[in-house]
Amino acid sequence: MSVQTTEPTPSPAPVAAERKASGLLWMTGSYVFSVLAAFVVGAIIIVALGYDPVRAIESILTTSFSTSFGMVETLHKWVPIVLCAYAFAIPLATGKFNIGAEGQLLVGATGGVAMGILLSDLPLIVLLPMVLVAGILAGAVWAGIAAVLMVRFGVNEILSTVLLNFVSFQLIDYVASHVWPDAGAGHPATVPVGDGARLPGIGGPPPIHVGVVLALVVCVAVWLWVRRTPSGFEMRAVGANPRASLVHGLRTSRLAGLGIVVGGGIGGLAGAIEVAGVHGKMLEGMQSNFLILGIIVGLMARGSMAAIPVVAFGIAVLEVGASSMQRTAQVPVELVLIVQALILLFLLLSDVVRRRFERRVR
Amino acid sequence: MSQSAPRLSMRGIVKEFGPVRALDRAELEVAPREIHGLLGGNGAGKTTLMNVLYGLYRADAGTIAIDGAEVVIASPKDAIDAGVGMVHQSFLQIDSYTVTENIVLGTKLPGPAWRLDLSDPREQVAELSSRFGLHVDPEAIVEDLPVGVRQRVEILKALYRGVGTLILDEPTTNLTPGEVDELFRSMRTMVDEGLSVILITHKIRETMAACDRMTVMRDGRRIATVRREETDAEALAAIMVGRDIDEGVPEAAVIATGVVEDLENVADVVESAEPLRPDPVDSGAVRIEDLRVRNDHGVEAVRGLSLSMSRGEILGVAGVAGNGQVEFAEAVAGVRQPESGRVSIRGTDLVGRPTREWLAAKVAYVPEDRDGDGVLPTMTVAENLVLGSQRSADIRRGGLIDWKAARQKAAEAIATYSIRANGPNALAGDLSGGNIQRVILARAFAHEPSLLILHNPTRGLDLRSTQFVYEQVHAATAAGCSVLLLSEDLDELVALSDRLVTIYNGEFVGEWARGAVDQVAVGQSMAGVGVER
């Protein structure tokens, strides 16, 4: 007889907690590994250049924490980095790449500085909000150009945001050298804004400008928006599967455009805070390398809006440590950018390793 | 078996995906010159077992022997070298190449490397094609060919490589009844020529028609191997489901067994197995008038379809894939903008309005392409269930989405719909195909639809899931929902539909009332017989 019958046993129930724990372990593990590996490679480069790696790394890592001045500088650096990271990460949640944070920052700064100069006599309670709102709107409108081109005409957003950066360089050059030039600066810069346009400081000495608090508010607001509101949910759905989102009634291209506009507004706020909190005016080169740092932070956070402020703080520590490293160990500041890029590369590498590993387990 | 060495023997095959044991000491033995059916429900492990044999997965334990000699198969290349070929449900073909070019791709070509001469392979392909009754023009460009012919190309690919064992994974899914018969005849020729064929399917009727022996799998194990003469469809269905048919799953089992050959019987069995449907009321609940829709390439795919449905009516649309069903379903779901025509649901004209207004008018759509159109793979089950109703009042608190309430609802849906998932926070992309479909159905039914559009809702589902879908459909119609059922499964259409229409080349070409369906005529109508183009 050829009928054989065996009773199947129920398959073991998958253990959710175990999986979650191993995921968390992987995540922290990959971050620690990436940072360590990046510093090891960085140290090798420092030795190869003929400098002292111990002193260099020590000053990179300790400057922010050894003095209150270092901490304040770190927090002031953190603000534009974290805001530019959101400018990149929010559109990324819908699957779009905003590579225009520095343009949005500069145009936002222009909007802010225009208010601060034109209405310089107004009191702080009136003028400061106007400066900040003008910065947000200017950044949003600037990014809105790319958004409209994308939604209406299908122009690739990477291309348009990058090209708009170049336009913004010319724009602030024009404003700083022709509209409100500061002849005595010896460098393209505008005249200072009125006192009412300056962000007040808290604590000290040295004081921290209130922009740090504003940035924290933005962090919470973005998190709430993306995780808890219907429109934030819709944005993430579009990023997860645009086709399924369309089938379920979401206006996918408008949501993608909205992501870029909101990102641009936050980039613009970064510019206004730089004007109102740090420089007191607009000057050429104020965008620093915040665009690239924002992208690095946004990618390192891997889609988690909650991780962005933390990662951005780490990057701000490295940035502040960089200049001190140049002073104490004579290593060029650019080395820190190398280390930052290496962290990201190792992080991406650990993702590849993880996938390989998981496939092997299958 | 009494013969010498079996063509194929798989022993104690274990395969685990993380915590899930997909194959639990699975066994399979295939004799030379036999067509062997591999039967089982969704997630029974049939395809996994064959993927192990074809080298796509590596087994955690177990041995494979071919013609008595143990082999190690670590990649498809090893499998091909061992004489094993597999035809998947989705074809791996280069659209712009000819049939011959596709077939020889990856094999050693005759002649010098600097000159491509395909005349020998072309003759070989033509010879194989006529020998096995797999009619294909070796010079045709693959993208111009219909699905049934592309499948033949895939089979020829395996034959060209000299397989001894050919695996066919659910080969009849997209074929017309006539094409299925042809395929089965070709399989018989292959066996007569010395090959062994493994037919993966969950349709019992097919195995009874085509196979010499069949192995039934359930939960990753072999439950039984039986000879066709020693069994019948009811017994197989009972083994497959794991309980007697009388106790439950009446409709799906009846359909899958193909016990019912004529329509009166289907109607009898199904009518007796379900509560009587309410009388049709409000005969214009759904009206579609002269609907014309273009496909993605700008070609008119739906050419002037009109129909009207009453509340609680199930209208079945039969047709071979690619005759405008996707475009029709999407247009009626409000996802695709039609060229012209009207769609009104309970008196509301909807054409031209955005998709979310169609949703608000209680139109629910269960798309054919689950992964592409139905699910957010990187998001959780709870989030997937919220999709489409994220702005409804009952999951919002103070303007924000109340995820606690959403998760609770998801937990209820997971229980009601027997979704196998690690709770509401499990990622949808980690679920199996059948469970993804349950999530999509749970979402659709939660809308309490007035019009439900189901496109191949039970494709790839096991009997129990299929029965579950049918129960949900009946519950929805009892609540007054009109159901538009587009399916390639004729048995399913016959069993469920109050009315059955056939679609061919974007037009309705035949209509049958419940109980008056002539399956042969439906099959001919689907294949365009008697329709001038």
Side-chain angles (χ1 to χ4, degrees), chain A residues 2-7 9 11 14 19 227-228 230 233-234 236 240-241 243-244 248 250-251 362, chain B residues 15 221-225 230 330 356 359 371-373 375 383 390-391 401 403 420 422 430 443:
Chain A
S2 54
V3 179
Q4 308 121 359
T5 308
T6 42
E7 257 320 295
T9 48
S11 58
R19 253 187 97 181
R227 303 300 311 183
R228 296 293 305 275
F233 171 77
E234 288 169 354
R236 288 189 293 130
N241 184 346
R243 179 62 205 163
H248 290 86
L250 308 193
R251 287 169 290 183
R362 285 195 170 189
Chain B
K15 180 67 198 167
R221 288 188 178 194
R222 171 165 74 179
I223 302 300
T225 297
E230 293 167 5
E330 289 185 353
R356 68 204 140 87
L359 281 170
D371 296 327
D373 295 354
V375 80
E383 287 173 320
Q390 67 275 4
R391 291 181 185 276
I401 296 178
W403 283 113
R420 275 185 125 183
N422 294 336
D430 289 347
R443 182 169 61 204

Side-chain angles (χ1 to χ4, degrees), chain A residues 186-276:
Chain A
H187 174 87
T190 64
V191 292
V193 293
D195 286 344
R198 299 298 306 265
L199 281 166
I202 38 174
I208 299 169
H209 68 66
V210 180
V212 176
V213 180
L214 279 176
L216 271 176
V217 172
V218 169
C219 293
V220 175
V222 167
W223 184 85
L224 265 182
W225 178 53
V226 170
R227 303 300 311 183
R228 296 293 305 275
T229 67
S231 62
F233 171 77
E234 288 169 354
M235 283 198 13
R236 288 189 293 130
V238 172
N241 184 346
R243 179 62 205 163
S245 304
L246 191 75
V247 168
H248 290 86
L250 308 193
R251 287 169 290 183
T252 52
S253 62
R254 278 203 216 178
L255 282 161
L258 174 74
I260 290 182
V261 170
V262 171
I266 293 178
L269 176 65
I273 290 178
E274 284 293 283
V275 167

Side-chain angles (χ1 to χ4, degrees), chain A residues 42-58:
Chain A
I44 293 170
I45 296 173
I46 294 171
V47 172
L49 291 173
Y51 303 107
D52 178 0
V54 179
R55 271 183 74 187
I57 290 173
E58 193 191 339

